[in-house]
Amino acid sequence: MSENCNHDCGSCSANCASREGAAPDFSAKPNPHSHVKKVIGVVSGKGGVGKSLVTSMMAVLLRRRGQNVAILDADITGPSIPRMFGVHGQLSATDEGIIPAASTTGVKMVSLNLLLERETDPVVWRGPVIAGTVKQFWSDVMWGDVDYMFVDMPPGTGDVPLTVFQSLPVNGILIVTSPQELVGMIVEKAVRMANMMNVPVLGLVENMSYFQCDECGKKHYIFGQSRLDDVARHNDIAMSARLPLNPALSAACDAGKIEMFDGDWLDAMAEALMKL
């Protein structure tokens, strides 16, 4: 046991002697009105790589395929999911639980931005409070029938990813990255955390991979030549995809119209998730 141990095994991934014997169960019970079949975490080793974009696009693609889809926005201090879908206002609740918001096409979602008085209010909370809020989004929300729930996590390997892995029945994760050289190391950190928590890595998405000229069709690798295939192979990730720098896609996000995006970059990944 570490000399700095706080005796809260739920917020620790260390494999110390105090864990010997039966493994503690930190799983959170879902709301009685929730029936979620698959939970897919969307993670990144660093911020600003487009994790919320990938979360939203995957949700839209599966919804287009007739699935009941939901998004649990676990990025408590930097929530952006509602804005991408053009969803505003505060959530309502009954004695039985919180009612999730729904987008134009029926994607359900819960985000802290939908609980704040003003969307621009900062969230100045410590880690345990943030982690507890994520668990409440799972246990206090009446999600109803959901085929696929995507969990948009904050970057890194801290309290919230650990809470999600231990508390929710995660079926696998998608890792979002960017082309820079440092990314290989950052991806490996996310992969190793998933392995520690016995969560499968389902796919790797490289955002801002290239820019494709509208006139000539040539791809320009602005941040350097993509190393996606090498990184995926090194980490034994079978499925990968590249997202370009696309002004139309950015404009759709800013306008709250992500459900209107047009592009087949993640189609193969969506089809693979349908076969889980």
Side-chain angles (χ1 to χ4, degrees), residues 91-110:
L91 298 175
S92 57
T94 70
D95 292 339
E96 297 176 301
I98 299 170
I99 302 172
S103 70
T104 302
T105 64
V107 176
K108 298 177 183 178
M109 66 190 72
V110 165

Side-chain angles (χ1 to χ4, degrees), residues 11 112 140 143 147 159 173 256 271:
S11 62
L112 195 68
D140 292 359
W143 289 104
D147 296 312
D159 283 348
I173 65 169
E271 291 294 336

Side-chain angles (χ1 to χ4, degrees), residues 14-29:
N15 190 23
C16 58
S18 61
R19 288 183 181 267
E20 292 181 357
D25 183 8
F26 299 112
S27 60
K29 292 183 179 180

Side-chain angles (χ1 to χ4, degrees), residues 107-258:
V107 176
K108 298 177 183 178
M109 66 190 72
V110 165
S111 171
L112 195 68
N113 254 17
L114 300 175
L115 293 170
L116 298 174
E117 183 177 348
R118 291 179 296 272
E119 293 181 352
T120 55
D121 286 346
V123 179
V124 189
W125 295 349
R126 295 191 182 275
V129 178
I130 293 174
T133 301
V134 172
K135 290 178 68 173
Q136 285 184 288
F137 282 175
W138 172 255
S139 58
D140 292 359
V141 175
M142 298 186 292
W143 289 104
D145 292 323
V146 173
D147 296 312
Y148 290 87
M149 173 182 284
F150 291 92
V151 182
D152 184 17
M153 297 198 215
T157 56
D159 283 348
V160 170
L162 181 60
T163 296
V164 170
F165 288 149
Q166 289 184 326
S167 303
L168 275 60
V170 180
N171 297 96
I173 65 169
L174 301 177
I175 299 176
V176 184
T177 184
S178 58
Q180 289 90 335
E181 285 292 324
L182 184 62
V183 159
M185 177 190 71
I186 293 172
V187 168
E188 193 162 341
K189 287 179 181 290
V191 170
R192 290 190 175 187
M193 180 176 189
N195 291 338
M196 288 172 60
M197 306 306 297
N198 296 316
V199 175
V201 179
L202 302 176
L204 177 64
V205 180
E206 183 179 71
N207 189 28
M208 301 176 285
S209 183
Y210 59 89
F211 171 77
Q212 188 164 13
C213 177
D214 292 338
E215 296 183 1
C216 68
K218 182 179 179 180
K219 293 181 179 180
H220 300 272
Y221 294 91
I222 297 173
F223 297 109
Q225 190 67 32
S226 172
R227 296 177 54 246
L228 178 68
D229 295 336
D230 294 337
V231 173
R233 185 166 47 250
H234 176 71
N235 291 283
D236 295 321
I237 302 173
M239 185 169 53
S240 61
R242 292 179 174 87
L243 278 178
L245 285 161
N246 186 288
L249 189 57
S250 299
C253 293
D254 291 341
K257 297 181 179 180
I258 188 63

